[in-house]
Each structure stands twice: as structure tokens, then as C-alpha cells.
Amino acid sequence: MSIINLPLAGLEIGFATSLIVSLLLVFTTRWHGRYSLDATRGVQKFHITPTPRIGGAAIMTGLWLALGVLPQAQRDLLLPVLIASLPAFVFGLAEDLTRTVSVRTRLLATIGSGVLCWFLTGVTLQHTGLPLLDGMLGWLPFSVLFTAFAVGGVANAVNIIDGFNGLASGTVVIGLGTLGLIALGAGDIHLAQLCFVICAVTAGFFVVNFPLGKLFLGDGGAYLLGFLLAWLSVMLVYRNPSVSAWAPLLACAYPVFETLFTIVRRLWCRRHPGHPDSWHLHSLVKTAITARYLRMLPPPLRNAFVSPVSWSIALVPAALAVNYAGDPAVLVQGAVASFALYLGVYALVVSAWRARRRQAPIVIPGAAAPLMPKAAAVIVKPVAVKPIITTSNGQGATSGLVAARIANPNAANQPGALSDHGHKQSAPVLARRRM
């Protein structure tokens, strides 16, 4: 069966419901904004207008209504998955509304959703193509825990990349579309239809989120979509033994690459792996490229232009997964090549970041004006200046700088920051010496 012959009722109902609920959430912000608005200050905040971050509620509503019009076979597949996704979604939504749920709690809730989904469906990972690991997966308790941990990891990875308009939801649509095409090629029509239905529901939210960012996905939506993407990957391999486990991994490649590299990068810099920063690829693309070359655009559009860069990275392994779903050797090579592509793009963006930093003016606290960059210094005539610049409170600029460094000793070892609408970030890992 081709895509055009699949039933459309679930896709239409899911898309329309998600779109309508998303618009309602935007238009009723004055009633729930006290709890749902996302602040504009933070190390990973780039928007300039407080925005509702409960888009996951629209997606969950669309999924439940789409469930009611699906054929029975697809309903039997989706119902237990939706029930199992509730812990991941509820704890994420609680964080969106209260800001008090820790990352560890949300991760454990998502892993718990994976265990619950096994309990309801009996589905686990049973083969990966790695002989030693496959032998261990033969023991059911290990298989259940490994599957739940993998699902929780992918869900957390989707939450990590959720930083710009359309980035996370667009990446999930690419991943789910990839899984649907692989299932269609393997003859698993019901799973393929399920993937496309979730794509349609996500697209309803996407229209409101991209490019203007009127509604954010939030932790509830990110964990929900991440869980669905991960669990459908598990179901694809479980229901179709001819499909290599590396195929769904490539479908989820971009968020997985970003998470693994983030952990290694933070450990290399002697930081806690869970400590947030603005050195993600998408953050650097914003500050080094869109903030520099697209300054004529409104801020929401500058944020939106970050997403296509990440989508292009996600599309490469996705295309390999669709074309070589049953060839583990090619998929492994494709995974290595795709990760090398990610690292190459990251290195190029870091180079652009460093170039922009060299051109940025140097600001000294208390000084009347920023110092000019080296390139401009050659055309400025030398002027006699007193060695001490006095601030408004009579304190010398040099002593004020020393006092600031004593108050914040870590800042003394940080390079000068770039800013875009007040959001500052220190140098990325590839631009720093190992401490």
C-alpha cells in the first residue's frame, strides 16, 4: 500500500484538533499566562517576548481525538502507548507550569513510562546487531530496563534540542516520517499509518510554533514527542525483524548526536553533564550566524532560521535509514559518517563564533566607551589618556574590574562574551583551552 492509499480520517482529525487547541492556547494566554508563560531570561533563552510553553497539551489532545477515528488495528497499537506516555507528559507539563520538577525526576518519569509501556504491550528490544548485547537482551529484566533507559534517553534528547521555533517538533516529524516510510517498505501498514498520524498531530502545533513562535512545545510536549518517537522505533524493530536496529537509531540521529556530544563536551570542560549552557549547536548557530547575517529580520524569524540548519543534519541519516533499513553494515557506516557531519558543522559554526568574537568591541566596566577591535585600531590616532578611568562613584575602572573578578572568580577565566538581545554566552568548547 502506498502513502496516498492510507486512511486520512486520523490525519485530518489529529491535525485540525492540534491546530485549533494550539490557537486557543495562544488566544487565552491572559487567563493561563500566569502559570504557562516562559520567561525571557536564562542561559538557554533567546526569545524576547514571554510565550506560553504548554504546546504539549495541544498535541496530547490531538492524539486522543485522532485515536477515536482510527481503524481498530491501529487503535490497539496507539492506546497502550498513549496511556504509558502519561507519566512522561504529566511530569513535563508540571515543570512547564511550576518550574519545580527536577531533570532527574522527569527523566525517571520517562523511564517509568517505558516500563509501563512494556507492561501494557510486551514489547522490548531483543536484537541490536551487537552479539554481546543481544545475548544480554535475552534476559527479560535486562531487556525491559535497557529498553526503558533507551526510550528515556531519546525523550530527554528531544527535550535538549527544544530551543528554537520549530526545531524539536520539526526534527520529530522527520524522525517519525522516516519510521513510517521504513514500516511501509517492510509491509507494516498499521505502524506506518500510526507514525503518519502522529506526524499530522505534531504538524498542527508546528504551524503555530514555526516560524513566529506564538506557542512553545514545553517540557511536556518535548518528553511526549520524544517518548513516542523512541517507542515507535522499538515497535518497528520488534514487529519487523528484517529491519536493522540501526535504522531507527539513524531516524533519531540528530537529537542523539547532540546529547552524546553535549555530555562529552561538558565532562571535558569539567562541568556537570546536566548543567545547562548555551554551547549547543543550535545556540551557536543563533549567536554566530543568524544574529550576525540576518539582523534585518525580526527576532522571531532570526530564531526560526536556526532550525533548518539542524533539520538538514537530521535529514542525511534519515535518508540513509529509509534506503538501507535492512543493511546493518551500511547503516553503521552511515551513523559514523552522519556523526562526522555533525562534528564538522559544529566546528564550522565555532569558527564563525570566534570570528565574530574577534570583531566584537571590548567593554571595560566603568569605561566611557568600548575599546575598538584590533582591526579598527590601525586607523585611530593615538590619544593621551590618563592611566586611571574614574567611574561615577569615584572608583577606578581597574580597581572596579579587580573587585568584580574577586566577587566572581570564575568570570576571570572566561573569554569576552557575545550578546544578542541581552543573552550572553562564553566560548564554546572547541574555542577554549582544556583547563
Side-chain angles (χ1 to χ4, degrees), residues 365-366 388-404:
I388 299 296
I389 302 174
T390 305
T391 61
S392 59
N393 61 1
Q395 184 182 26
T398 304
S399 60
L401 182 60
V402 172

Side-chain angles (χ1 to χ4, degrees), residues 156-291:
N156 189 65
V158 171
N159 188 53
I160 285 177
I161 67 169
D162 182 26
F164 290 94
N165 302 345
L167 177 54
S169 54
T171 302
V172 169
V173 168
I174 292 173
L176 288 171
T178 301
L179 296 179
L181 292 175
I182 295 173
L184 202 62
D188 194 343
I189 304 301
H190 298 304
L191 185 61
Q193 171 73 357
L194 196 57
C195 292
F196 298 139
V197 166
I198 300 176
C199 280
V201 173
T202 306
F205 159 81
F206 180 86
V207 171
V208 181
N209 175 245
F210 183 86
L212 297 180
K214 297 299 183 181
L215 180 67
F216 291 165
L217 190 59
D219 286 5
Y223 281 109
L224 172 63
L225 289 182
F227 174 81
L228 294 175
L229 176 64
W231 194 261
L232 290 178
S233 298
V234 174
M235 292 178 64
L236 175 64
V237 177
Y238 182 86
R239 291 166 56 92
N240 302 278
S242 62
V243 176
S244 170
W246 289 90
L249 177 62
L250 287 178
C252 311
Y254 173 68
V256 172
F257 291 166
E258 180 67 40
T259 302
L260 293 177
F261 182 70
T262 297
I263 293 174
V264 173
R265 172 173 55 77
R266 290 173 180 170
L267 291 175
W268 179 268
C269 294
R270 299 181 182 178
R271 292 176 175 266
H272 190 281
H275 182 72
D277 58 39
S278 55
W279 299 351
H280 296 290
L281 175 60
H282 48 269
S283 301
L284 294 173
V285 169
K286 169 62 190 298
T287 56
I289 298 178
T290 63

Side-chain angles (χ1 to χ4, degrees), residues 87-88 91 102-115 148 152 223:
F91 277 84
S102 66
V103 175
R104 177 179 298 179
T105 301
R106 283 173 275 151
L107 179 58
L108 290 176
T110 310
I111 293 175
S113 289
V115 175
Y223 281 109

Side-chain angles (χ1 to χ4, degrees), residues 127-130 241-247 250 324-335:
H127 66 90
T128 62
L130 303 175
S242 62
V243 176
S244 170
W246 289 90
L250 287 178
Y324 302 98
D327 194 335
V330 175
L331 293 175
V332 171
Q333 297 174 22

